[in-house]
Every structure is written in C-alpha cells, then in structure tokens.
Amino acid sequence: MTRIQAILFDFGGTLDGNGLHWRERACRFIQSKFPHVSREEFVQADRASVAKFVASGDGPRCSLRQTAGAIFTGIYEGLELNPRIRDVFLDDFCRDAEQWLHQNRQWLESLRTDYQLGVISNNFGNTKGWCDDYSLSPLLDVIVDSTVVGIKKPDGGIFRTAMTELGVSADEAIYVGDTYLDDMVGAKSVGMWTAWLVGDQPDTCQESPAADFRLSMLKDLNRFLPNHDG
C-alpha cells in the first residue's frame, strides 16, 4: 500500500450509497410495502426494466433521477404495483443518494491533494453527466463508463482502461466498490488493491480473498491509506 497513487471508485451503491446496491434498495422497499412480492419476482422485473431502458437508447441523456425513475417505473409496471408508492420510493431514493454524494464529495476533496481519483462504473453512458451534476467531476482524473468503452465489470479491461489513462500500475491503485464479483473480483484479476464497501449489511461471503479490506463506510479507507490523515 505504500506505493498507492490512485483511488478508483464504483458509483452506484458506493458513492451514492453506503454499500447498498440500487437493486437491493428497491427490493427492500417493495417487499416492505408488498410482502407478497418474492425476491425472484422482483429480480425478474428489475432485469426486464433495465433491458427495456437500455434498448430505449435514452441512457446517455438521463440524469440520475430520470434513470432511476425509468427503471423503477418498469419494475412497478412489471409487478403491477401502485405507481403512487413508486413515487414515494423515488423521492426517498434520490434524497438519500444526494445526501451520500454530498457527504462523499467532501471526503474526496480531502483525498485530492494526495491521490489521483477516478470512477469506474457499469452504467448507461451517463456516469460523466452524473458526476457533473453532483460536482464530482472537478475532483476526478478519470471517469470510465462501461457503455462508453464497451467493457463491463468484472472484465479486467475496464480497470486497465482507467489505469492506463492515469498512468499508474496495478500495485499503485486501489479500487473501492460494493459488489463482490464485479468490483472485488474484477479489480483483483488485474492485480489492483481492493476495498469492499459492505456498509452495515451482514457478511454474505465469509471467505472473500479478492477483497484486501472491508469498509463499513468509505471514510474507513483512511485507516489503510499511507501518508493520509483524512
């Protein structure tokens, strides 16, 4: 870790949350309001909605709220649920995301003087726009979106793309994300250091060799960074 020069982050569930993926947030909300909906039914509706959104071609032009709204609308329609409840969730979801993004932006500012920073996201071509909207872009040296580069995590190519742009080697970079397979396994496959943001969720993967560190909050990374006081 003494050679770390760059810190790269996932976006959804990491910068806009605390280790809880969009899909999981939506599933928990729906099941709290509609207990009859099984996880399998939810996942099927979610995948169908995401596929429909991707096929629409609207992704690169949509804000975070517009993207979430389109996907959540598809889920609620697929499950034939009350759309008014969808609107309640969308408002809560976006408010929470904005709060996390504001809080994490302040922390990123503290890192900026010591490290190069970047985002690598499996997204719809709109990651740069979201970073612009929430004033993250001035703090970032690279933003890699899977739709833009045509490579998705956990494919190692997407991580190498970011490191090449930054001019750093794998042992000089750490990747922080909330998803074990896409983020930890993907980044570790190219030799990067890895930090798994698990938040306050129960550990569902007791043996996680691809994760060098586990974080309850992003700021916990300060404990592992050399020459950084936080």
Side-chain angles (χ1 to χ4, degrees), residues 179-226:
T179 303
Y180 186 73
L181 175 59
D182 286 351
D183 298 331
M184 300 299 97
V185 175
K188 184 55 67 176
S189 73
V190 297
M192 297 176 72
W193 292 91
T194 55
W196 188 14
L197 180 61
V198 297
D200 59 1
Q201 308 310 307
D203 186 2
T204 58
C205 186
Q206 295 296 330
E207 293 188 9
S208 49
D212 294 308
F213 311 106
R214 298 191 190 199
L215 314 176
S216 295
M217 297 187 67
L218 278 182
K219 289 183 179 180
D220 291 344
L221 187 64
N222 288 340
R223 294 186 285 122
F224 307 109
L225 294 173

Side-chain angles (χ1 to χ4, degrees), residues 133-172:
D133 291 343
Y134 295 98
S135 302
L136 297 177
S137 294
L139 305 175
L140 301 174
D141 299 288
V142 64
I143 299 172
V144 180
D145 185 304
S146 61
T147 295
V148 175
V149 299
I151 313 171
K152 291 183 64 175
K153 298 180 292 184
D155 189 309
I158 195 169
F159 300 97
R160 285 190 288 267
T161 296
M163 290 189 290
T164 296
E165 189 162 338
L166 294 177
V168 298
S169 60
D171 64 343
E172 295 173 328

Side-chain angles (χ1 to χ4, degrees), residues 10-18 22 25 64 93-108 119 130-131 133-136 139 218:
D10 171 51
F11 192 102
T14 300
L15 290 177
D16 72 352
N18 192 52
W22 280 34
R25 280 184 259 181
L64 186 151
F93 175 88
C94 291
R95 181 170 55 252
D96 288 348
E98 289 171 3
Q99 290 174 348
W100 281 113
L101 286 164
H102 175 72
Q103 177 178 311
N104 288 328
R105 185 189 187 284
Q106 294 178 316
W107 177 62
L108 292 178
V119 166
W130 294 3
C131 291
D133 291 343
Y134 295 98
S135 302
L136 297 177
L139 305 175
L218 278 182

Side-chain angles (χ1 to χ4, degrees), residues 11-183:
F11 192 102
T14 300
L15 290 177
D16 72 352
N18 192 52
L20 198 59
H21 193 273
W22 280 34
R23 176 178 290 166
E24 184 62 27
R25 280 184 259 181
C27 184
R28 291 185 182 190
F29 181 85
I30 287 176
Q31 289 187 323
S32 72
K33 301 295 184 182
F34 308 97
H36 67 279
V37 176
S38 69
R39 171 170 284 275
E40 292 73 19
E41 289 173 321
F42 170 82
V43 170
Q44 183 177 2
D46 174 74
R47 288 175 174 167
S49 183
V50 170
K52 181 179 179 181
F53 181 67
V54 171
S56 75
D58 293 333
R61 298 183 294 274
C62 287
S63 67
L64 186 151
R65 184 183 184 90
Q66 290 168 335
T67 301
I71 293 172
F72 298 156
T73 293
I75 292 171
Y76 277 72
E77 288 177 349
L79 295 172
E80 299 182 344
L81 303 177
N82 188 333
R84 286 180 295 179
I85 302 297
R86 173 209 61 200
D87 294 339
V88 171
F89 173 65
L90 180 60
D91 288 341
D92 288 349
F93 175 88
C94 291
R95 181 170 55 252
D96 288 348
E98 289 171 3
Q99 290 174 348
W100 281 113
L101 286 164
H102 175 72
Q103 177 178 311
N104 288 328
R105 185 189 187 284
Q106 294 178 316
W107 177 62
L108 292 178
E109 286 181 333
S110 75
L111 297 173
R112 188 75 176 94
T113 56
D114 297 317
Y115 304 99
Q116 295 185 81
L117 304 177
V119 166
I120 303 173
S121 177
N122 281 354
N123 212 338
F124 307 104
N126 45 6
T127 306
K128 175 62 166 62
W130 294 3
C131 291
D132 290 345
D133 291 343
Y134 295 98
S135 302
L136 297 177
S137 294
L139 305 175
L140 301 174
D141 299 288
V142 64
I143 299 172
V144 180
D145 185 304
S146 61
T147 295
V148 175
V149 299
I151 313 171
K152 291 183 64 175
K153 298 180 292 184
D155 189 309
I158 195 169
F159 300 97
R160 285 190 288 267
T161 296
M163 290 189 290
T164 296
E165 189 162 338
L166 294 177
V168 298
S169 60
D171 64 343
E172 295 173 328
I174 184 169
Y175 189 72
V176 185
D178 64 288
T179 303
Y180 186 73
L181 175 59
D182 286 351
D183 298 331

